[in-house]
Amino acid sequence: MKANSKFDYIIVGGGLSGLHLSNCFSDDSFFSKYSFLIIDKEKRDKKDNYFSYWEKGTGKWDSILSNKWNKALMFSSKRKVEMDFSDYNYKTLSSLKFRDYVKKKLKKKKNFKFISDTVLNIREEKNKVIVVGNKKNYIAKHIFDSRFSNNTLKKSKSHTFLKQHFLGWVIKTNEKKFDKKSFIFMDYRVRDKNSTAFTYVLPFKKNEALIEHTYFSKDPCNKELYEDYLKKYLKRFYKNMEYKIIKSEMGIIPMTTYPFHKDSTKNITKIGTAGGWVKASTGYSFKNCEKYSIKILQNIKAKKDLKIVPDKKYFFLDKILLGVLYKYNYRGEIIFEKLIKRNSTKKILRFLDEESSLFDILKIIISMRSFYFVSVFIRNLFKKDL
Ligand SMILES: Cc1cc2nc3c(=O)[nH]c(=O)nc-3n(C[C@H](O)[C@H](O)[C@H](O)COP(=O)(O)OP(=O)(O)OC[C@H]3O[C@@H](n4cnc5c(N)ncnc54)[C@H](O)[C@@H]3O)c2cc1C
């Protein structure tokens, strides 16, 4: 290991993307001769929320899951649609468990070091990059930077931009009210009729579940409004149920077609939200962080550029789907109902994972048969802003 402040690689931010990337480096013996520094402004982040994702078969995080499901329901105001998650299980884990798991593993490795410091600036010089921290400076050949600045937020707002915003409660009940084997992917029966808004229910135990009210819309709401919808939902569908709120989580996730990869340079790779690792049309990022971290390692070995450039075809499709939700926000219920009712869950998840064949992509697009899609598609062809 080199002098204290000089490293081969520095990862700025030990959040979701920083830890996924660090974990991948630590698992690969090719990198055991390299030194890594992970800098985070928080000494010990005690915030806990739940990360959900889907994946085929077994995965890296199965030992720390809160639960996994192989079936789900989607409710629109008109119908119930069953979803089959037996090919791709839907999985949920606690962010605290994830952080503790990765940090414990990395602390055993001599070539990994954690420092708590606030990064103020990153400066490129010939053959090295200097990370300017509040406490001191750090030097490396390459930096992975997960800071999401206000400047990026401002720039991304000039592209199609929605926010996924939500409040979730983990509730505990006296009676066994939940089916542990099935979850509710989206429920549009109790919602603000002017927006894409739905409730999401993840039962962890027969008497414990995470229930979340989520919007895909332009602006977040007052906390009281989400609380109101959660209370209404529980009253209507879990009649006379007594419950205790044991945890709550609130979040805002940007959903945007801003080309984040353009913010990376030869020696500074933006990662996580700041690198465009959040899927624009869904707000999911957990699996992308794992997938893109693996890609970065492959690119280092192949001496290729390290920025993650989105696949053009899927970027265009994300633009259309996000564009439809932006322009016709109140139609979200009908759009998701059509998508889920007319396509198998497996096909939809493969599409969202950007692994569909062209034939399957076309089938999904045709299945939507929607004026809204055609209108946004034409605007995009002519590069018209929404
Ligand atoms: C309540 C909640 C629930 C969510 N649920 C899901 C889900 O179910 N599935 C899913 O895929 N995604 C989910 N998300 C979204 C997911 O958390 C984010 O997309 C993801 O965390 C982005 O990863 P990141 O590394 O870019 O940012 P973060 O995880 O926020 O990490 C950034 C890190 O950088 C550090 N940092 C920032 N600035 C500095 C600085 N100047 N100097 C040093 N360190 C700095 C921060 O302290 C932080 O630790 C959820 C988010 C929230 C808030």
Side-chain angles (χ1 to χ4, degrees), residues 326-343:
Y326 182 87
K327 199 153 178 1
Y328 306 102
N329 199 249
Y330 66 102
R331 302 291 293 174
E333 169 181 351
I334 202 77
I335 289 160
F336 284 107
E337 188 207 86
K338 272 189 189 177
L339 179 71
I340 293 170
K341 193 169 132 273
R342 296 179 180 172
N343 298 282

Side-chain angles (χ1 to χ4, degrees), residues 13 15-17 40-41 49-52 119 147 253 272-273 285-286:
L16 186 62
S17 61
D40 201 291
K41 61 181 180 180
N49 61 263
Y50 288 94
F51 290 134
S52 298
V119 171
R147 288 170 311 147
I253 304 172
T273 308
S285 65
F286 189 88

Side-chain angles (χ1 to χ4, degrees), residues 251-268:
I252 303 177
I253 304 172
M255 301 165 81
T256 169
T257 53
Y258 174 73
F260 287 97
H261 60 282
K262 292 190 176 161
D263 290 344
S264 292
T265 64
K266 185 167 174 281
N267 297 314
I268 305 171

Side-chain angles (χ1 to χ4, degrees), residues 54 74 79 81-83 185-186 188 216 281-282 321 325 331-349 351-352 360-361 363-370 373:
W54 53 85
M74 184 265 175
R79 56 174 58 84
V81 187
E82 289 180 6
M83 299 179 75
F185 187 65
M186 283 177 161
Y188 285 92
F216 292 176
S281 55
T282 64
L321 187 52
L325 290 174
R331 302 291 293 174
E333 169 181 351
I334 202 77
I335 289 160
F336 284 107
E337 188 207 86
K338 272 189 189 177
L339 179 71
I340 293 170
K341 193 169 132 273
R342 296 179 180 172
N343 298 282
S344 71
T345 308
K346 184 176 169 182
K347 206 180 280 171
I348 297 169
L349 299 179
F351 172 70
L352 295 177
D360 277 344
I361 294 177
K363 277 203 335 211
I364 288 178
I365 294 173
I366 292 166
S367 78
M368 301 303 290
R369 291 191 288 279
S370 154
F373 274 83

Side-chain angles (χ1 to χ4, degrees), residues 20-139:
H20 263 297
L21 183 61
S22 309
N23 185 59
C24 284
F25 278 128
S26 85
D27 281 344
D28 189 331
S29 60
F30 176 88
F31 292 96
S32 57
K33 56 183 181 290
Y34 295 99
S35 57
F36 295 87
L37 173 68
I38 301 143
I39 310 176
D40 201 291
K41 61 181 180 180
E42 306 288 344
K43 194 167 171 59
R44 172 141 173 72
D45 191 355
K46 293 206 176 78
K47 274 198 300 294
D48 192 13
N49 61 263
Y50 288 94
F51 290 134
S52 298
Y53 58 99
W54 53 85
E55 106 185 313
K56 222 173 181 172
T58 53
K60 274 188 190 175
W61 315 103
D62 284 5
S63 66
I64 54 166
L65 292 179
S66 301
N67 202 4
K68 66 174 178 182
W69 301 267
N70 55 23
K71 53 185 179 171
L73 294 171
M74 184 265 175
F75 291 93
S76 68
S77 42
K78 291 203 190 89
R79 56 174 58 84
K80 174 169 101 175
V81 187
E82 289 180 6
M83 299 179 75
D84 178 1
F85 277 84
S86 53
D87 283 296
Y88 288 81
N89 282 176
Y90 198 78
K91 303 181 177 183
T92 297
L93 53 78
S94 123
S95 65
L96 204 59
K97 276 202 177 154
F98 169 77
R99 271 199 305 274
D100 286 350
Y101 180 94
V102 178
K103 283 190 168 177
K104 205 168 151 193
K105 193 169 140 189
L106 297 183
K107 278 182 179 154
K108 287 186 192 147
K109 304 256 176 170
K110 286 208 176 82
N111 56 333
F112 283 83
K113 189 177 163 85
F114 281 93
I115 279 184
S116 95
D117 197 355
T118 300
V119 171
L120 306 173
N121 190 18
I122 302 180
R123 205 170 62 231
E124 278 185 272
E125 289 187 2
K126 208 178 165 204
N127 296 330
K128 66 177 178 195
V129 193
I130 300 170
V131 176
V132 182
N134 198 24
K135 295 182 189 157
K136 65 192 261 192
N137 292 355
Y138 313 88
I139 297 167

